[in-house]
Amino acid sequence: MKALLELKRLALLAPEAVLCGPSYAQFFFWSRNTRPLDAETTWQQFTQPQNPYYEWALRHYPPAPIRRLWATIYPKLRDRVKGISTHYDISNDFYKLFLDQDYAFYTCGDFLDPDDSLEMAQKHKADFILNLIAPRPGDRILDLGCGWGAMLKRIYQYTGDRENLWGYTLSVEQKRFIDETYGFNVEIKDVVTADYAPASWDKIYSIGCMEHVPKDQLLPLAQKLAAAIKPTGHLVHHFFCQMTPSPPAKMLAGGADVFPGIELATWQQHVDTFEKAGLRVAHHSIHDYRPTIKAWYDRLAAHQTEAIQLVGVRTYNRYLCYLAEAWRLFDDRDLLLMRFVLTRQDAPTPWLSALYRAESRESPVEAPAAVLQAV
Ligand SMILES: C[S@@+](CC[C@H](N)C(=O)[O-])C[C@H]1O[C@@H](n2cnc3c(N)ncnc32)[C@H](O)[C@@H]1O
C-alpha cells in the first residue's frame, strides 16, 4: 500500500509541476510522503531560497492570468462551509499541541521581543486588540469567526460581562470546546449569510475570519456589518491579504489542500469595500506573522508522535509544509497581515485610539519656538 502511494507521489510530480506550477508540485510531493517529514529539512526546503531559476518558477509559474482564473474557478468547485469544517474540525487536541496554552489563538501574535514565548506574544496581541475594541461592561460585542474562544476569553477577563458577548463559528468542534470550557454564547452561524439586526452591536470584530469570505461576498457582508453596528460603535478587522490581484503561486496548494476554497483580497480591495459600505478606516497597522508561524511549527514538530497518533502522517506532514510555506509567503511580502478599526462614516465623533487620548497627547519634547511662530 505504502509502495503504491509512493509511486503515485512520484508519478504526479511532473504533471502537477507543468499544470499547477513547481511550488504546488513541491508542496504535494513533500506532504504526501508516507513517512513523517524531518522538521529541519522541511523548514529549509520551504523557507530558504533555492537556485535562482527554480526560485523564479516557484514564485511566478503558472503565470498571473492563470492563477487568477484558478482562484476564480476553484472556490466555486468546493463547498465553502465544508471547507471550514475540513480544516477546523480535525481534532481540538491536535490544535492544542501547537497553539498557545493560555488562549489557543489561531492567528498572528505580537512578538515584541525575540525572546517572547508564544504565550506572551498572544497576550500582547490580545491586549492590542482589546485596546482597539475598547470593550465596556454592557457593550453588545460580536466575534465573527471566534475560533476556540480566545478573544472572547480576553474580553471577558477584562469586562466580566458574559451576557453581552457573542461568537459565531462554522466549526462544531470549536463550539463544543467553548461550550465545555467557557460557556460563552457561541452559535454555529455563517457570517456571510447571517442576518444582523440594524444598529444592534456596539462592537463587532473579526480576527482571521474574512480570509474565508469569498471576494464577491465581501461588499454585501461589509454593508450588513456597517448597518449592524450602532453609530457610536466600531468594527475591528484583523486579516491577511495578498499584495497583488493574482494569488501568489505558493498559495495554490494551500487553497487546494489546507484551506479549501480560501480566497484572498488585496488590502486595497478591503479598504475600497469598507468605504463603499459606508465605513472609514480609523486605524491601520501591519504586524509580522513570521515569528508566530515559526513558533507553531516548532511546537508541532516537538509533538510529532502525539500529532501523528491524533491525525495521521499525511495531516502532520501537510501542516509542516503549510506552515513553512506560509512563513515564506510572509517573508517574501506576498502576504501581509493588517489590523483595521472601522467606524461608520456617520459616526457622531471620530474614533480615537488610546494612544491619542488627552492624557497621552502632551509631547515629551519641547517644540522649537521657531516652528510655533505664525508665518
Ligand atoms: C483562523 S481562525 C481564527 C479564530 C480566532 N478568531 C482566533 O483568532 O484564534 C478562523 C475562524 O473563522 C471561522 N469562520 C470562517 N469562515 C466563517 C464563516 N463564514 N462563518 C462563521 N465562521 C467562520 C472559523 O470557523 C474559525 O473559527
Side-chain angles (χ1 to χ4, degrees), residues 80-81 84-85 87-88 99 103-108 125 143-151 168-171 174 187-193 205-214 238 240 259 289:
R80 181 174 59 81
V81 174
I84 299 294
S85 175
H87 188 85
Y88 295 98
L99 300 184
Y103 292 98
F105 272 109
Y106 192 27
T107 40
C108 167
K125 173 273 268 315
D143 184 333
L144 303 175
C146 61
W148 288 271
M151 197 63 211
Y168 295 164
T169 176
L170 279 174
S171 157
Q174 291 179 334
E187 292 182 52
I188 299 288
K189 223 178 223 190
D190 184 350
V191 304
V192 176
T193 54
Y205 64 91
S206 148
I207 311 176
C209 169
M210 297 288 182
E211 292 86 338
H212 294 289
V213 173
H238 163 126
F240 63 84
F259 294 98
Y289 215 145

Side-chain angles (χ1 to χ4, degrees), residues 70-80 214-216 261 263:
W70 169 298
T72 316
I73 295 173
Y74 192 78
K76 303 204 176 10
L77 305 175
R78 300 297 296 249
D79 182 322
R80 181 174 59 81
K215 261 193 290 193
D216 61 359
E263 232 187 312

Side-chain angles (χ1 to χ4, degrees), residues 182-203:
Y182 307 122
F184 293 139
N185 308 309
V186 166
E187 292 182 52
I188 299 288
K189 223 178 223 190
D190 184 350
V191 304
V192 176
T193 54
D195 285 327
Y196 302 85
S200 53
W201 299 97
D202 293 284
K203 317 280 162 63

